[in-house]
Amino acid sequence: MLNRRFILVAAQALSLIGSAIAEPYNTFDGPGFPACRDVAKVYSPKTIEEAMSIVKDASDKGLPVRASGNGHMWYDTMCSDDPRTIIIKTENLNRISDLVLNGDKGTVVVEGGVTFSQVAEWLHQRGASLGYTLVNWNISLGGAMAMGAHRSSLGEHSQVSTSALSFDIINGKGELVHLDRDQSSDTWLAATTSLGLLGIIARIKIEILADFKVYANQETVDEKDVLNGDIYAEISPYVTANYWWWPGLKKFHKRTYGVVPITKSGNAFQSTFSVTSLEASLAKSLLNAGQNSSIQNFITEAIFYAIWAAPNFHDKKTNLPLFSWPVHGYAYDVLIGGLYPNTKTEWDYDMRGLTFEVAVPVTQANRLLKRMRELFDESAAEGKAVTSTYRSGINIKFGKPFDSFLGQTTTLQSDKSADWSKGAIMLDFPTFRPSTGDHSRYNEAWYAKMQKTIIDEFPTRPHWTKVTRNIIQQSVKNLDPALLARFSAVREQFDPKKTFKSVVGEIIGVV
Ligand SMILES: Cc1cc2nc3c(=O)[nH]c(=O)nc-3n(C[C@H](O)[C@H](O)[C@H](O)COP(=O)(O)OP(=O)(O)OC[C@H]3O[C@@H](n4cnc5c(N)ncnc54)[C@H](O)[C@@H]3O)c2cc1C
Ligand SMILES: *[C@@H]1O[C@H](CO)[C@@H](O)[C@H](O)[C@H]1NC(C)=O
Ligand SMILES: *[C@@H]1O[C@H](CO)[C@@H](O)[C@H](O)[C@H]1NC(C)=O
């Protein structure tokens, strides 16, 4: 008896020590912004074999594991809330090999931790490009494919995992499982939006294109013309296109991209996030001043709108700003780009954002935007008008249909009352998180009401790394139980011991 009691006390003491050691694993926003609330250890294996043995060891000991690329996600949904969790950072799994280019098209093999900018630069030096399956520059291909990340297009596939021809995934036993593309296989349909629940995406063979040049153009459209327009017809002709909404001004910027001959002059290089320290301190004081002032937010929005009307492009060779539309350059430089010399990202200046992204069938695009307008009008009628507090407004994106069990543009759902066959519109609503007071935004209550209204009134599908736990919980009712069950069955084969855990998986019930 005494003995048993002693063991119990000792075990409690040990677990206390354990939790004292455990610390948060942060997102790109750094301390105060955990991707995982408590983790025990972070590994950075140099080879896939090393990663396999870490997983095998953890799985033998019953420890939860998560892969992580660059932490480019917003909320504490990466892991489960288990302080024994270990993270396998993929930054050193970044080899690129086996380039094959035949005319316009080709393939290349990459390891899962490689970032978009690394692959894009490597390919550009060899006359090739990633095409349209892109997200921002400092994100790993494995992380983007796991979470169903995408850019914005109805004309071309732009969910990153649509480019995958094969995956090598480290499963829950630490074995490497090879899968080849097969849209008729449940395994493939699970793997193309796997949420990291099948295992670590270690290696991917992807489709690529011969290098090419594109233009970027931008025009201003009145809000009523978008809300009442044929949005599908406006967006679908382009290889990539999106709107930025400025609700306070009742305007949209419409950004479009298209292919031009490779001989076309121009070396335009885009940046969405570069800021100088002067710009950062101005923007920060304007935005913080809006914490308790609606009018200030409208003034700030007008300033951002005016700045965003000009190209967010420099000439890559001279680093001089480009002043007029359209601009031209190599595909990756124009579609994504990177950081301008001597600038930093806004988050490096301690400017933080909150975000919310859901997809709705593009056939309901007008109804969605009109409902958002009503919600903005309600905030004004209550005397607490809300508007955009982000340097590029509210991002309205699009996605061509691509079937995977958990993707935002799948057409596999059994409820056909929502028509996903033409693709999706995504409401991607970033906001400034004040660094002052309790960090709440002006009319904070409105955001929760808006989000609930949209989720309740539309068949929304969340972006898996751009919503909070609470939003995922609210979204479950809009997910198809049959697809969740088929996903779970594949997960059972890959990870019967549930080594790869996340709160996302727990909330949607694929555990
Ligand atoms: C500035 C910025 C811009 C962005 N732009 C876009 C955009 O245009 N479109 C879009 O859709 N998204 C965008 N995102 C979101 C981003 O694409 C996703 O959050 C992506 O998952 C982040 O990948 P990461 O490599 O940083 O991985 P992390 O943030 O480290 O991980 C994200 C999730 O993926 C899992 N994971 C990571 N690597 C692997 C792997 N190799 N195998 C299995 N699971 C893995 C992690 O466990 C975690 O659950 C953006 C994010 C930021 C910060
Ligand atoms: C890319 O992300 C990593 C991890 O967040 C960070 O250390 C690095 O500075 C980033 N690079 C750029 C160019 O922002
Ligand atoms: C807004 O009001 C709150 C509550 O009074 C306060 O804590 C915060 O500092 C204010 N913000 C600014 C920027 O003045």
Side-chain angles (χ1 to χ4, degrees), residues 165-195:
L165 287 168
S166 74
F167 287 115
D168 289 308
I169 296 179
I170 305 174
N171 71 10
K173 294 181 200 135
E175 304 159 344
L176 201 61
V177 180
H178 182 84
L179 301 177
D180 286 309
R181 182 192 282 177
D182 176 0
Q183 283 292 130
S184 69
S185 135
D186 274 26
T187 311
W188 189 258
L189 294 171
T192 40
T193 313
S194 64
L195 309 188

Side-chain angles (χ1 to χ4, degrees), residues 9 12 95 124 177 181 258 270 337 352 446 499 503:
V9 171
Q12 276 166 355
R95 292 164 192 83
H124 180 65
V177 180
R181 182 192 282 177
Q270 169 156 218
R352 308 291 175 216
W446 179 87
T499 296
V503 296

Side-chain angles (χ1 to χ4, degrees), residues 20-337:
I21 290 167
E23 27 175 74
Y25 178 76
N26 296 322
T27 71
F28 69 116
D29 273 328
F33 300 89
C36 308
R37 291 181 179 176
D38 261 334
V39 304
K41 198 159 164 71
V42 179
Y43 293 91
S44 295
K46 297 223 156 31
T47 61
I48 291 175
E49 290 67 30
E50 203 184 325
M52 289 163 67
S53 71
I54 297 168
V55 172
K56 175 152 195 337
D57 189 51
S59 140
D60 289 347
K61 292 180 177 145
L63 304 177
V65 178
R66 283 303 285 185
S68 176
N70 270 334
H72 276 48
M73 60 183 295
W74 271 265
Y75 299 107
D76 55 352
T77 57
M78 183 188 286
C79 302
S80 63
D81 293 331
D82 184 335
R84 299 172 309 147
T85 299
I86 68 166
I87 300 279
I88 298 187
K89 280 214 71 167
T90 58
E91 62 198 328
N92 298 319
L93 305 180
N94 59 14
R95 292 164 192 83
I96 309 173
S97 65
D98 300 271
L99 173 67
V100 178
L101 195 56
N102 287 318
D104 296 353
K105 290 186 176 167
T107 58
V108 72
V109 175
V110 299
E111 289 184 348
V114 76
T115 62
F116 284 86
S117 50
Q118 287 170 349
V119 184
E121 193 180 330
W122 192 94
L123 289 176
H124 180 65
Q125 286 164 3
R126 292 159 179 82
S129 81
L130 278 161
Y132 306 106
T133 49
L134 304 171
V135 290
N136 243 285
W137 79 96
N138 197 11
I139 289 174
S140 76
L141 267 74
M145 291 203 189
M147 305 314 285
H150 51 79
R151 66 184 274 125
S152 177
S153 180
L154 290 170
E156 296 283 337
H157 281 302
S158 74
Q159 181 170 326
V160 180
S161 57
T162 60
S163 71
L165 287 168
S166 74
F167 287 115
D168 289 308
I169 296 179
I170 305 174
N171 71 10
K173 294 181 200 135
E175 304 159 344
L176 201 61
V177 180
H178 182 84
L179 301 177
D180 286 309
R181 182 192 282 177
D182 176 0
Q183 283 292 130
S184 69
S185 135
D186 274 26
T187 311
W188 189 258
L189 294 171
T192 40
T193 313
S194 64
L195 309 188
L197 296 173
L198 303 187
I200 301 178
I201 300 176
R203 198 185 285 123
I204 318 145
K205 182 175 182 182
I206 56 174
E207 288 177 320
I208 52 153
L209 299 178
D211 212 355
F212 60 109
K213 281 189 154 182
V214 297
Y215 71 80
N217 198 12
Q218 186 169 291
E219 49 189 322
T220 304
V221 192
D222 284 341
E223 188 183 273
K224 63 176 179 356
D225 294 336
V226 176
L227 267 53
N228 300 313
D230 183 343
I231 293 173
Y232 184 87
E234 290 291 324
I235 297 296
S236 56
Y238 300 98
V239 296
T240 166
N242 68 291
Y243 288 114
W244 282 293
W245 194 357
W246 307 93
L249 298 159
K250 300 201 169 168
K251 297 278 187 200
F252 283 84
H253 283 132
K254 179 187 177 190
R255 176 67 66 86
T256 56
Y257 302 84
V259 179
V260 295
I262 190 109
T263 49
K264 177 92 190 168
S265 66
N267 291 294
F269 181 80
Q270 169 156 218
S271 185
T272 318
F273 300 105
S274 293
V275 209
T276 63
S277 62
L278 182 67
E279 288 165 345
S281 62
L282 282 173
K284 208 169 154 181
S285 55
L286 286 171
L287 286 164
N288 275 329
Q291 181 172 37
N292 301 319
S293 161
S294 175
I295 186 79
Q296 178 62 52
N297 289 329
F298 280 76
I299 292 167
T300 307
E301 184 193 31
I303 295 169
F304 286 167
Y305 167 84
I307 296 172
W308 204 251
N312 57 322
F313 289 83
H314 282 187
D315 182 284
K316 197 178 187 180
K317 293 191 171 156
T318 62
N319 191 32
L320 292 172
L322 300 176
F323 290 110
S324 57
W325 299 105
V327 302
H328 303 91
Y330 282 103
Y332 186 81
D333 289 346
V334 174
L335 295 171
I336 295 288

